[in-house]
Amino acid sequence: MPSSCPECGSSNVVEDDLYSQRQWVCVDCGSVVSEGHLTTTVSDETQGRAVPYHASTEVLKKPCRNLIAGFSRVRALCQILGGCCVLSVCRQCNWPVAMGTIGYLLGVDNATLGTVYREFTKALNIEISTIGIMDMLESFCYDFKLGPQQVEEVFAEPPQRLVDRTSALIELAADAWIVTGRQPLPLLFAAVYLAWQSLNPTVRMKYTFVKFCKIGKAPEQSWHRSRDSVVKRLKELRDVLCKLGRELPWLRGGTVEPNTVVPLVDDILKNHRALLLRAVRNYEQQLQNESQTAQTTECDNELSDSNRSESHSSTTPELMDPDQAGCENPADKQATDCQLPPDHWSKRHLFLPPCVKNRKRQRVDAPQLEVTGDEEISDSEIESYIRSQDEIEMYLKVQKELKKMA
Amino acid sequence: MEQNNSLTPFPQGLASPPGAMTPVMPIFSPTMRYNTGLTPQPVQNTNTTPQLYHSQVSTTTALPGNTPVHTTPLTPMTPITPATPASESSGILPQLQNIVSTVNLGCKLDLKTIALRARNAEYNPKRFAAVIMRIREPRTTALIFSSGKMVCTGAKSEVQSRLAARKYARVVQKLGFPAKFLDFKIQNMVGSCDVKFPIRLEGLVLTHQQFSSYEPELFPGLIYRMIKPRIVLLIFVSGKVVLTGAKVRAEIYEAFENIYPILKGFRKTT
């Protein structure tokens, strides 16, 4: 090993590996004192390894695309994990936070959050306790900025009043099967909006849901994505209110329409138990009447059938199918959407989960095969699953052509 | 609201239904009509029921031609209470929707050849390391791996699954491989049914919280993990119930008979 530099005479000579070539370099003047072979022997080359990408200098200048993508995924996952931690701790401390709230704060959808949350609780062996929609209600209502100092007089609503009215509406919705199995946040939005409207209907009726969110300064990301669901819940809530509003005795059977039912909400909520009872009783009465008329017309038809020569059948032109009539009664307004079979059990109930009443696709059960599992399998059937030689040749030819074109 | 019993009478006239929370003993009587009208009627003596409740019958029968005779005795599975039908039977029969089974063809396979020479096969090695093959009857799908192992899904009954698996094995045989039919085993069975009344899932998760998981923000149904038998049930507000995780048909029926009285307790009509 050389000990002194021939150029400047300094003894400060260090070994430096540059591009896998050993060199001895003088620190003071920078001249190369001596260097090893640039090329390696054959045995060195076969045993040596190429410099991996991550150890080369390129990695710092221009990181690989996959690396960038990987980092951003890990960052997002860390954010979601943080959100799951917050969610889990809040649940354990009985402080109800909806997943949707954490979702919109992180900018992530419920499904992703849900997957990570489930894995997270399984890995850490945490017991999840369900939170009900009522638990989330109070903090949700307080989030809206509708204090008298924050908005105009006609829009202002003390939060407690809003909470009371909304909770009554949600209780009603739960009785009418709108709550179970649904996302709670769109329902909360719909209920708060209707509650706010009903507390001063004359002024507030003309404000749409979007307007209301702007007045109450609800952050747009929190309701924007679920706007369609909110609209659907509003429709369902108004329908339920109509069904009950019709039973108000002082209306004397006048029509109650969804877009004018809000002023009646106060009265409906005050007497909701009685109205529910009346509505259900009247519906059952109606069903009974229809089945009775159907029976009498059936009897008539039977008589007419037996006296066919006397052509009595002309006296009963419409055979009142009780199930058809059930479909057309005001409880099931969408008679055209009614694809349920005639004697479906849902016809007997006035209030049902909408997924039962609005069945869009008829489920068809395939006919059961009569097999034993051990029968003979015909050769011809198996042959039908195997390509002929011509087909194979054609397939290979096409594959070659496609490869040539690509 | 008060439950109105006159609205939906049960098909079999029941005595007073059990209390809401008391789990009923696994009522599993051979006199119940567990059939689709096609399989033979169950009789009292369990040893003579050939098809209905057969457990894992592992056979190593040779494939070509001959129909093998069941030489292996059927191992009895869940003990069946004989004679008296339970008075609280639901009268509803869960329908099997999907059976997943596996079988070992016993030889290494060249997936490229299979994909080239079979009409009903798809093979995308970059996406999944198996050939996906389908037959028309029974309408099923099979995943065939190069190790010779095969998964058969989509059949509606155990015997259909077995027949389908045999057909796939025959196709592989005809393609030139020395396929056998070893260790056929049913791995999972899925059933579904409708109790015909809406269910208050919030109430159910409160009273059975050690078994239930209900997160409406993630999934509209309640996930009930029954311990005995070890079955997972998906319970929906519409009254539809999906049962999965069974290795034998009897587990699905037993699980449903266990859950039905619990669900009746949460039935409420307004």
Side-chain angles (χ1 to χ4, degrees), chain A residues 152-292:
Chain A
E152 291 175 32
E153 179 70 46
V154 282
F155 300 146
E157 207 61 65
Q160 196 49 50
R161 247 187 113 205
L162 199 62
V163 168
D164 292 336
R165 180 52 64 94
T166 313
S167 98
L169 272 173
I170 292 196
E171 215 184 284
L172 191 65
D175 280 340
W177 295 101
I178 298 179
V179 175
T180 312
R182 260 83 177 282
Q183 296 263 358
L185 281 180
L187 188 62
L188 281 171
F189 272 114
V192 165
Y193 170 57
L194 279 183
W196 175 79
Q197 272 191 326
S198 69
L199 287 169
N200 193 347
T202 40
V203 182
R204 299 176 185 168
M205 273 298 284
K206 58 178 186 271
Y207 291 95
T208 59
F209 171 68
V210 176
K211 265 284 178 59
F212 163 68
C213 288
K214 294 211 166 85
I215 294 171
K217 301 214 182 37
E220 185 158 338
Q221 315 98 287
S222 65
W223 53 265
H224 186 76
R225 216 184 286 162
S226 48
R227 204 180 31 193
D228 292 336
S229 300
V230 176
V231 167
K232 282 190 212 151
R233 297 296 160 268
L234 278 172
K235 178 176 184 303
E236 286 166 6
L237 267 172
R238 287 196 190 111
D239 281 343
V240 169
L241 289 168
C242 283
K243 280 184 194 165
L244 294 182
R246 269 182 218 119
E247 306 298 327
L248 285 169
W250 49 88
L251 290 180
R252 293 166 216 258
T255 52
V256 179
E257 291 301 310
N259 42 5
T260 54
V261 73
V262 174
L264 300 171
V265 166
D266 204 30
D267 291 331
I268 294 174
L269 289 176
K270 280 210 189 85
N271 311 293
H272 72 277
R273 293 249 168 257
L275 291 173
L276 266 171
L277 265 171
R278 279 185 67 147
V280 172
R281 282 218 192 101
N282 286 343
Y283 185 74
E284 287 167 18
Q285 190 64 41
Q286 204 171 19
L287 283 180
Q288 248 182 4
N289 292 344
E290 279 152 8
S291 67
Q292 274 176 3

Side-chain angles (χ1 to χ4, degrees), chain B residues 138-193:
Chain B
R139 206 161 79 86
T140 49
T141 305
L143 303 174
I144 306 176
F145 294 85
S146 55
S147 60
K149 299 244 172 92
M150 180 171 82
V151 180
C152 174
T153 63
K156 298 278 188 203
S157 78
E158 306 91 320
V159 290
Q160 283 184 34
S161 191
R162 188 187 163 77
L163 179 63
R166 284 176 59 225
K167 287 191 181 176
Y168 288 112
R170 272 290 213 86
V171 173
V172 171
Q173 246 188 1
K174 278 240 167 8
L175 291 174
F177 298 92
K180 304 194 253 320
F181 197 74
L182 313 169
D183 308 323
F184 175 78
K185 183 171 184 222
I186 306 264
Q187 300 290 357
N188 186 28
M189 302 174 74
V190 182
S192 73
C193 58

Side-chain angles (χ1 to χ4, degrees), chain A residues 29-45:
Chain A
C29 69
S31 61
V32 176
V33 177
S34 77
E35 55 191 4
H37 293 291
L38 190 58
T39 55
T40 49
T41 60
V42 172
S43 56
D44 278 350
E45 276 178 27

Side-chain angles (χ1 to χ4, degrees), chain B residues 58-131:
Chain B
S58 15
T59 56
T60 56
T61 41
L63 267 178
N66 18 331
T67 39
V69 178
H70 269 297
T71 47
T72 49
L74 293 167
T75 52
M77 359 109 297
T78 47
I80 303 174
T81 56
T84 46
S87 57
E88 297 105 355
S89 71
S90 65
I92 304 174
L93 197 67
Q95 293 284 81
L96 289 181
Q97 300 295 344
N98 184 26
I99 313 274
V100 178
S101 58
T102 54
V103 71
N104 185 1
L105 300 179
C107 63
K108 292 272 174 280
L109 302 173
D110 179 8
L111 299 184
K112 273 203 156 67
T113 312
I114 296 179
L116 174 65
R117 301 189 44 213
R119 283 196 182 131
N120 52 339
E122 58 180 269
Y123 180 47
N124 214 333
K126 287 193 188 145
R127 223 176 50 188
F128 191 55
V131 164

Side-chain angles (χ1 to χ4, degrees), chain B:
Chain B
M1 297 302 298
E2 286 303 296
Q3 177 178 352
N4 195 335
N5 281 322
S6 64
L7 281 182
T8 44
F10 295 132
Q12 305 172 353
L14 292 184
S16 57
M21 299 308 135
T22 54
V24 184
M25 288 303 289
I27 1 170
F28 192 70
S29 159
T31 61
M32 285 180 69
R33 294 168 281 112
Y34 285 155
N35 57 24
T36 53
L38 304 169
T39 45
Q41 288 288 338
V43 288
Q44 305 274 15
N45 189 354
T46 58
N47 289 335
T48 59
T49 42
Q51 305 287 0
L52 213 49
Y53 313 120
H54 76 193
S55 60
Q56 308 316 308
V57 183
S58 15
T59 56
T60 56
T61 41
L63 267 178
N66 18 331
T67 39
V69 178
H70 269 297
T71 47
T72 49
L74 293 167
T75 52
M77 359 109 297
T78 47
I80 303 174
T81 56
T84 46
S87 57
E88 297 105 355
S89 71
S90 65
I92 304 174
L93 197 67
Q95 293 284 81
L96 289 181
Q97 300 295 344
N98 184 26
I99 313 274
V100 178
S101 58
T102 54
V103 71
N104 185 1
L105 300 179
C107 63
K108 292 272 174 280
L109 302 173
D110 179 8
L111 299 184
K112 273 203 156 67
T113 312
I114 296 179
L116 174 65
R117 301 189 44 213
R119 283 196 182 131
N120 52 339
E122 58 180 269
Y123 180 47
N124 214 333
K126 287 193 188 145
R127 223 176 50 188
F128 191 55
V131 164
I132 303 169
M133 196 181 282
R134 297 186 167 87
I135 57 172
R136 289 177 289 270
E137 192 169 307
R139 206 161 79 86
T140 49
T141 305
L143 303 174
I144 306 176
F145 294 85
S146 55
S147 60
K149 299 244 172 92
M150 180 171 82
V151 180
C152 174
T153 63
K156 298 278 188 203
S157 78
E158 306 91 320
V159 290
Q160 283 184 34
S161 191
R162 188 187 163 77
L163 179 63
R166 284 176 59 225
K167 287 191 181 176
Y168 288 112
R170 272 290 213 86
V171 173
V172 171
Q173 246 188 1
K174 278 240 167 8
L175 291 174
F177 298 92
K180 304 194 253 320
F181 197 74
L182 313 169
D183 308 323
F184 175 78
K185 183 171 184 222
I186 306 264
Q187 300 290 357
N188 186 28
M189 302 174 74
V190 182
S192 73
C193 58
D194 188 353
V195 299
K196 301 201 194 310
F197 53 81
I199 303 169
R200 293 259 172 232
L201 302 177
E202 304 94 343
L204 183 56
V205 74
L206 281 177
T207 48
H208 287 72
Q209 57 190 23
Q210 62 270 54
F211 307 112
S212 330
S213 154
Y214 171 53
E215 290 285 339
E217 293 192 87
L218 296 181
F219 188 64
L222 185 149
I223 304 170
Y224 191 101
R225 293 179 193 273
M226 197 177 277
I227 310 267
K228 186 171 172 359
R230 222 173 125 250
I231 299 281
V232 173
L233 300 92
L234 303 177
I235 305 171
F236 296 90
V237 67
S238 56
K240 298 227 163 63
V241 180
V242 174
L243 307 99
T244 182
K247 289 270 196 289
V248 291
R249 189 187 281 243
E251 286 175 1
I252 296 209
Y253 296 151
E254 190 185 336
F256 182 67
E257 292 303 322
N258 285 351
I259 201 82
Y260 188 69
I262 298 172
L263 296 181
K264 272 199 314 195
F266 288 97
R267 161 196 202 162
K268 261 199 244 167
T269 53
T270 40

